[in-house]
Amino acid sequence: MPNCPTPNYRALTLLSWALLASCASAPAPAPHRSGMDLADFNRAVRPQDNLYDFVSGAWLASTQVPADQSNYGTFAQLNVAAQDQLHRIMQETLRSRPAAASEERKAVDFYRSFMDVGRIEALGLAPLRRELARIDALASSADVVRYMGYNQTIGISEPLAWSAPQDPGDARSYITEIDQSGLTMPDRDYYLLDEPAYRDYRSQLVTYIGRLLSLGGASELEAGAGAQTVMAIETQLAQAQWSRVENRDPIKTYNPLTLAQASKFAPQIDWSALFAAVGSPVDRFVVSQPSFISALGRMSVTVPVGDWRIYFRYKLLDGYAPFLSAAFDELYFDFHQRTLLGVQLQRPRWQRALAALNGNIGEIVGRLYVARRFPPRSRRRIRLLVGNLLQAYARSIDQLDWMGPQTRAQAQLKLSKLTAKIGYPDKWRNYSALRVSADDLIGNLMRSGRFELHRQAARLGAPVDREEWQLTPQTVNAYYDPTLNEIVFPAAILQPPFFDARADDAANYGAIGAVIGHEISHAFDDQGRQFDGDGNLRDWWTPADAERFKARTAALVAQYSAYTVLDGLHVNGELTLGENIADLSGLTIAYRAYQISLQGHEAPIIDGFTGPQRFFLGWAQIWRRKDRDDNVRRRISVDPHSPEEFRANGAASNVDAFYDAFGVESADRMYRPPAERVKLW
């Protein structure tokens, strides 16, 4: 037996994953639990015709989207479960009366401040008076620019957004970044498209702005005129913004500039003053959308200061409305949830309190969650899945007929440097510098935002922290970070139907295995492939290989652009390309990893399905979801993921193993001729 390393889950590379997998004891006899919800199947449909409907048809027919949700499905179900678990944990923590200096006490006090409705009502607009007075004092275009920097410190990152991410040009360091912002509605399309639905959204937005300004103390006349002013500014911002597709290009959005260079293309902006107002002076920074910043610079002097005051006043009220008295909270919900997403009912206040905790001091809550909900054995089982998936990727790269030896060697090098984080951070964030008060919700929110800004600013010039997580353990999601070249899987997603420790491997590989494969695939999708194994934005592909890859992905764009929703509204195949690549690649590699896991043995038949069939059924099962129409429209505009039916069926229809598993033939609706199946890995 080889020497078996001690698992360091934040930094396991391909070789160490493989070694750990080889050190595992022989797998126990397969359990007879399939891991599938058979009662939700639609037996009137054949999987050869519609895999998604076969697996979830009965569920889709019997399930209604809850009144307090814009959508409902696998992710929402797990999120609700996580919320219930966190609620019980918070109640236990409240009863335990944690010590005043402890992080548990910060969580308790933050929660209490949100739940103290009586005090929130009594305070009214008082918590924002100082900030409103600051806005009223703006007297010049220079003041306007400085305020654009200052408002970052109170969580209002509009009309531009400051951050300090890893530098794509030098992944060993951090750099200040400025991005476009400033809109109330989800995307610029809501302001620019001349279609009835979007015209109605714009009309509703004007009404909302006016009512919010009125609640904030404006007269009826002032509120009406102010609403038109804000709408005019946001429309100008929308016209200048880059599209979601443009923002997917990591080369175009990486524009490092010195202060002197920035002053040439946006001379109206005093960058030194802006960054001083943020509290983070810099000499060099990245502008993601230069043309937008140029337009914003012009607007800073052409839009009257009085109009900017109205805009900033509205943005402050809109940003904090959910945390003010009921009148503000209900008005905010009516527009942002009911109008834009179709949600009919406000979520219970305790759920919104937990959302605020997760968004501001999430790792305190996460540490409590992990201690109760994520046993070590789950980490070990996932580790084996990851090891097999990485082996499958390595084998696949060696067998590619469209990738030449030079690019193949670089791809293997990148894969060998990929790391995986599972469940929760090994080093928790330190919140000792954050002050939390049980009777000051707005103050807690502002101080939390300032704490995060200062945390990011303080790391400029320091080595990159490779132990940092971008998601909390209680988040039902996963991600790939190209500048760290890592995949991350929080604890909350590592449960049924994504991962069932009591189930046979087939469904697990089709579900969480394909999700893990999906995230690994982002290292080689149309965006991730532009970063090397060290996380630097560098082209390591030969021109010929890059062209062959683009040709294959262009076919995927065409496939998904042909899918329609909502009376002919098409999926945006360019916007969703990266996720569609990852779905197809992840499913392909997960199937190969499943074959590796069998170690040459035949998979048992469970619940009437073979192992390969259960693999694809497990894949389709995780995508069940129902959306309200307004949310579908939003997703088509802003979401880089395709609607779930097309994620399930689109990927499977390109994988030969799916045809073999179910005997799919040319007369079946899921059939694609072999020449039309997109093959990447």
Side-chain angles (χ1 to χ4, degrees), residues 358-651:
N358 289 336
N360 289 277
I361 53 173
E363 288 200 12
I364 295 178
V365 183
R367 187 162 50 81
L368 298 172
Y369 175 82
V370 165
R372 294 164 173 82
R373 302 297 310 182
F374 192 67
R377 65 179 180 274
S378 293
R379 243 188 179 191
R380 291 193 294 269
R381 184 91 176 266
I382 294 297
R383 176 240 298 175
L384 296 177
L385 280 166
V386 173
N388 285 335
L389 281 155
L390 289 172
Q391 288 186 57
Y393 261 102
R395 294 179 187 180
S396 176
I397 290 171
D398 279 341
Q399 297 167 3
L400 292 177
D401 60 0
W402 57 268
M403 183 180 282
Q406 181 179 331
T407 306
R408 184 179 294 118
Q410 289 294 312
Q412 289 286 18
L413 179 62
K414 181 171 185 178
L415 185 69
S416 73
K417 292 183 176 182
L418 185 141
T419 61
K421 296 174 179 174
I422 297 172
Y424 52 88
D426 290 305
K427 182 181 72 177
W428 297 96
R429 191 163 297 171
N430 183 349
Y431 293 91
S432 59
L434 175 63
R435 182 172 66 86
V436 176
S437 173
D439 62 357
D440 186 14
L441 174 58
I442 299 297
N444 291 337
L445 293 164
M446 287 188 175
R447 286 188 293 273
S448 297
R450 194 169 289 118
F451 170 85
E452 175 59 19
L453 185 149
H454 289 166
R455 187 187 72 82
Q456 290 194 34
R459 66 191 190 182
L460 291 168
V464 166
D465 181 3
R466 304 191 70 87
E467 295 182 298
E468 182 180 358
W469 282 51
Q470 297 174 25
L471 293 178
T472 62
Q474 63 271 29
T475 302
V476 183
N477 212 331
Y479 68 89
Y480 169 76
D481 185 330
T483 52
L484 286 171
N485 193 26
E486 67 178 14
I487 53 175
V488 182
F489 297 91
I493 199 173
L494 302 176
Q495 54 185 317
F498 290 95
F499 171 65
D500 187 346
R502 299 172 296 167
D504 172 65
D505 269 346
N508 278 333
Y509 272 90
I512 196 62
V515 171
I516 293 170
H518 170 110
E519 299 305 336
I520 297 173
S521 298
H522 278 310
F524 305 101
D525 69 13
D526 62 317
Q527 289 179 298
R529 76 174 190 84
Q530 299 183 69
F531 294 81
D532 65 21
D534 295 318
N536 295 305
L537 189 57
R538 180 178 68 84
D539 188 0
W540 47 270
W541 293 60
T542 65
D545 290 342
E547 286 305 312
R548 283 191 285 267
F549 179 81
K550 289 177 182 177
R552 291 177 183 237
T553 59
L556 209 58
V557 170
Q559 278 187 16
Y560 281 81
S561 294
Y563 292 131
T564 60
V565 295
L566 284 184
D567 302 322
L569 183 64
H570 281 257
V571 173
N572 187 335
E574 291 183 322
L575 175 61
T576 59
L577 177 59
E579 299 299 332
N580 297 334
I581 290 172
D583 280 345
L584 172 57
S585 303
L587 185 63
T588 301
I589 296 300
Y591 186 78
R592 293 173 186 165
Y594 172 56
Q595 297 300 312
I596 291 173
S597 76
L598 293 175
Q599 300 178 11
H601 301 290
E602 188 77 19
I605 293 176
I606 304 176
D607 290 334
F609 297 103
T610 66
Q613 289 173 338
R614 295 196 307 280
F615 172 89
F616 287 102
L617 297 174
W619 159 255
Q621 181 173 266
I622 63 176
W623 300 120
R624 60 180 52 157
R625 170 168 161 162
K626 296 185 75 169
D627 284 84
R628 299 188 186 279
D629 286 354
D630 288 307
N631 195 50
V632 171
R633 191 171 287 107
R634 179 194 66 82
R635 291 185 65 194
I636 293 299
S637 292
V638 308
D639 195 343
H641 303 86
S642 297
E644 277 63 25
E645 178 179 0
F646 308 130
R647 297 189 73 173
N649 290 346

Side-chain angles (χ1 to χ4, degrees), residues 59 63-66 70-74 76-77 80 624-626:
W59 182 90
T63 300
Q64 298 296 320
V65 178
S70 65
N71 67 87
Y72 192 68
T74 302
Q77 287 174 309
V80 168
R624 60 180 52 157
R625 170 168 161 162
K626 296 185 75 169

